[in-house]
Amino acid sequence: MAAVQIPAPHSIAFLNRRHRLWIDGEWRDPRGGFQDVYDPASGTVIAQCPLASAEDVDDAVRAARRTFDARVWRGMPAQERARILWKLADLIEANAEEFAKIEVLNNGMPIAFARWMMGSCSHWLRHFAGLTQQIFGRNASAAMSGGGMQVHAYTAHEPVGVAGLIIPWNGPAGTFIIKVAPALAAGCSVVVKPSELTPITALWIAELAAEAGVPPGVLNVLPGLGSVAGQALVDHLDVDKISFTGSTAVGKHIVKSAASNLKRVTLELGGKSPCIVFDDADMDVAIPGAGMAIFANSGQVCFAGSRLFVQKKSYDRVVEGLAKFASSLKVGSGFDPETMVGPLISEKQRERVTSYIESGRRDGAEIVTGGGAAPGQGFFVQPTIFANTRADLKIVKEEIFGPVLVATPWEDLDDLIRLANDTRYGLGAGVFTTNLSTAHRVADRLQAGNVWVNTYGLMHPSMPFGGYKESGWGREMSTEGLEAYLEKKSVFMAL
Ligand code: NAD
């Protein structure tokens, strides 16, 4: 394949390489062949994704197991692991602009979002670098002693072992770091399976991690098909933990497969998050806030605020305002600094989203703005808003994972809470109100792992992130995210 010609300043050396698998500290040819990688904004092929076979996964798991059992990484002084993770953060920062361009080119996200994402990667890595020296248990000696027996009792927190980390395509570098940073901070050895659609930034970070000092075999990165490489990782008896981000359907399948050796499992899955506007909201905040809650990253965000609930008196005004806001958003290539809504990741995803729009139309919901694919070579879909929806419609119940919002008026607070919680998911929720008591009362009653008031989608490494109900198991980020990679041991010693 000819090297892709990205117009200056978008020529990126790493992108133009022949990509291979990163196993045991070296590049290896994949045994599963290659697959085209696309620029979703133009529909052109930009690279070839190496596809790991089950044998490749086995090689990577063996390398990870060897390093874990030999305590190559977990036995390293915590401050040394911290120094290496910090150095990796510096290397990513030094290359942040090139990384951001790859994210735009391969995922389609707007460049400003990609820059924020890459800055966050370094920030999150440094956060977990700091936590390497905060891993310790508790002393229960005083509670245990008595009756003539003196006991020294304590808990030790140990890395869980070899962790298999499976990530999606919608935030390739960000989701990679959200898993890899706490896993390495905990002392695990890891095998990462990035999405076959967006493998490139993960492979580059693997190489930089080696430059930063991560020993061979501790971090292995193998793109590949979910049904082949992902499944092989989940089935592998030498993998102690799976952390998965992706669809609820695959998450449920992984739970069954992980039963083989009762691997620990963390799941970050789908969502159908409510965004609630009260009459007393500051509409200059609420309208763009609710708009970007759904249209950011073209709705390809697990916590996208895809169900809008507006208090009746303000309903027409908010829906009209949102329609105006949505139609003002520039849809186009993420490289255009004016672009607010990039393409969807693939032709398949565009078809999936437009078929949901068609089903809404067929079911009698009213299209207020948008309503189909947007023109252009790429996989674009217009920001779309439906009104006059019902709770039983497919577009209201199912995760669409595209720029499609369904709007519903509400009058009674109890009804609102029932409607907002009437979903099998429970990832995020937005509340727009200027009344502090209302905000706290509603936050208390929402079944969601993350509630945002007068804002939407904020994440911070000191705050846990994850979902209620079918949005997942466990939490990422923060000390909870670190603990997901730790086992607890109780030690009792009679003195
Ligand atoms: P997906 O479930 O199809 O794939 C996710 C990853 O799992 C990919 O790497 C894929 O190759 C792999 N995979 C697929 N089948 C597998 C199998 N049998 N065994 C092991 N691995 C397998 O999801 P997607 O389409 O890539 O991503 C979109 C979904 O991810 C949406 O539902 C979205 O809500 C969810 N998501 C959730 C979060 C979160 O934090 N909760 C974040 C981003 C995306």
Side-chain angles (χ1 to χ4, degrees):
M1 194 201 68
V4 64
Q5 293 304 315
I6 311 162
H10 308 318
S11 53
I12 302 157
F14 189 85
L15 181 74
N16 294 322
R17 289 211 198 154
R18 179 167 174 275
H19 298 291
R20 299 197 284 168
L21 309 175
W22 185 258
I23 300 177
D24 209 0
E26 60 180 22
W27 293 114
R28 294 201 194 161
D29 284 325
R31 279 172 276 187
F34 289 87
Q35 173 177 296
D36 290 342
V37 178
Y38 288 88
D39 164 12
S42 65
T44 54
V45 175
I46 54 164
Q48 296 290 306
C49 173
L51 299 177
S53 67
E55 294 75 27
D56 294 322
V57 170
D58 186 51
D59 286 351
V61 172
R62 279 168 196 270
R65 183 90 255 161
R66 188 195 73 238
T67 59
F68 188 76
D69 291 349
R71 305 177 79 92
V72 169
W73 177 248
R74 64 180 292 203
M76 202 183 263
Q79 69 269 28
E80 181 60 11
R81 279 191 278 126
R83 194 187 61 75
I84 291 170
L85 293 180
W86 195 280
K87 180 147 189 226
L88 176 57
D90 289 345
L91 289 170
I92 292 175
E93 195 168 74
N95 292 286
E97 189 59 18
E98 301 254 295
F99 267 115
K101 286 172 187 164
I102 298 180
E103 293 289 80
V104 174
L105 195 65
N106 190 186
N107 165 277
M109 64 178 70
I111 184 78
F113 182 59
R115 287 182 179 133
W116 170 83
M117 184 71 94
M118 293 319 304
S120 297
C121 285
S122 294
H123 171 203
W124 298 339
L125 262 167
R126 290 182 184 124
H127 182 88
F128 284 103
L131 287 183
T132 57
Q133 295 178 85
Q134 303 285 330
I135 300 172
F136 33 69
R138 60 177 186 265
N139 181 345
S141 304
M144 299 296 306
S145 299
M149 189 181 195
Q150 199 182 347
V151 177
H152 176 42
Y154 61 92
T155 60
H157 293 190
E158 299 177 351
V160 67
V162 173
L165 313 178
I166 302 177
I167 54 182
W169 42 259
N170 61 332
T175 46
F176 181 95
I177 294 295
I178 285 176
K179 291 195 189 304
V180 168
L184 290 184
C188 291
S189 292
V190 305
V191 178
V192 190
K193 206 231 42 93
S195 167
E196 59 277 29
L197 303 178
T198 53
I200 300 166
T201 41
L203 290 169
W204 193 9
I205 297 173
E207 191 176 78
L208 293 182
E211 190 181 331
V214 175
V218 170
L219 168 64
N220 305 276
V221 180
L222 292 84
L225 301 176
S227 57
V228 179
Q231 190 65 48
L233 195 55
V234 173
D235 287 340
H236 207 295
L237 297 179
D238 250 342
V239 172
D240 304 293
K241 156 102 195 177
I242 290 286
S243 180
F244 169 78
T245 296
S247 60
T248 293
V250 173
K252 287 182 181 177
H253 174 76
I254 283 176
V255 167
K256 287 190 194 139
S257 305
S260 58
N261 65 342
L262 289 180
K263 292 176 177 63
R264 277 73 183 120
V265 177
T266 300
L267 302 171
E268 295 296 349
L269 307 175
K272 191 77 182 174
S273 300
C275 205
I276 300 164
V277 181
F278 283 80
D279 282 336
D280 65 18
D282 176 345
M283 296 304 172
D284 291 340
V285 173
I287 291 173
M292 288 321 287
I294 179 64
F295 299 127
N297 212 25
S298 307
Q300 302 172 116
V301 177
C302 48
F303 53 78
S306 48
R307 292 180 302 139
L308 177 73
F309 297 102
V310 187
Q311 200 165 3
K312 189 134 190 216
K313 208 169 89 202
S314 308
Y315 179 76
D316 288 342
R317 177 179 166 208
V318 170
V319 171
E320 217 172 277
L322 264 164
K324 224 164 147 192
F325 178 80
S327 51
S328 74
L329 295 174
K330 172 143 201 237
V331 179
S333 160
F335 284 116
D336 179 343
E338 303 283 301
T339 290
M340 295 294 284
V341 178
L344 299 191
I345 190 70
S346 62
E347 177 86 68
K348 190 170 144 208
Q349 203 62 15
R350 181 174 59 177
E351 271 169 25
R352 182 169 175 272
V353 172
T354 51
S355 77
Y356 270 107
I357 295 174
E358 281 317 307
S359 96
R361 212 191 294 269
R362 267 198 316 276
D363 288 339
E366 177 199 344
I367 293 182
V368 182
T369 187
Q377 297 273 303
F379 313 132
F380 297 101
V381 171
Q382 296 167 335
T384 297
I385 300 176
F386 280 103
N388 288 330
T389 57
R390 294 190 319 271
D392 62 319
L393 298 192
K394 216 166 115 110
I395 53 167
V396 176
K397 281 164 67 175
E398 296 180 15
E399 182 184 46
I400 299 176
F401 223 54
V404 182
L405 180 67
V406 295
T408 310
W410 62 272
E411 279 182 278
D412 173 78
L413 188 66
D414 288 331
D415 280 346
L416 163 74
I417 298 294
R418 189 183 46 72
L419 284 169
N421 289 335
D422 182 20
T423 166
R424 63 191 183 109
Y425 296 111
L427 195 50
V431 182
F432 290 89
T433 175
T434 49
N435 183 317
L436 203 56
S437 299
T438 302
H440 284 299
R441 286 209 180 98
V442 172
D444 178 53
R445 295 178 68 186
L446 289 170
Q447 296 165 347
N450 313 270
V451 178
W452 295 284
V453 178
N454 295 327
T455 181
Y456 201 89
L458 286 184
M459 286 177 88
H460 192 274
S462 60
M463 296 291 283
F465 175 84
Y468 282 30
K469 302 194 276 186
E470 292 188 30
S471 286
W473 280 354
R475 293 293 180 270
E476 295 196 301
M477 306 287 232
S478 78
T479 44
E480 280 90 341
L482 182 70
E483 286 190 3
Y485 295 98
L486 295 169
E487 285 283 15
K488 313 276 170 66
K489 181 184 280 174
S490 296
V491 181
F492 301 82
M493 192 186 303
L495 300 181

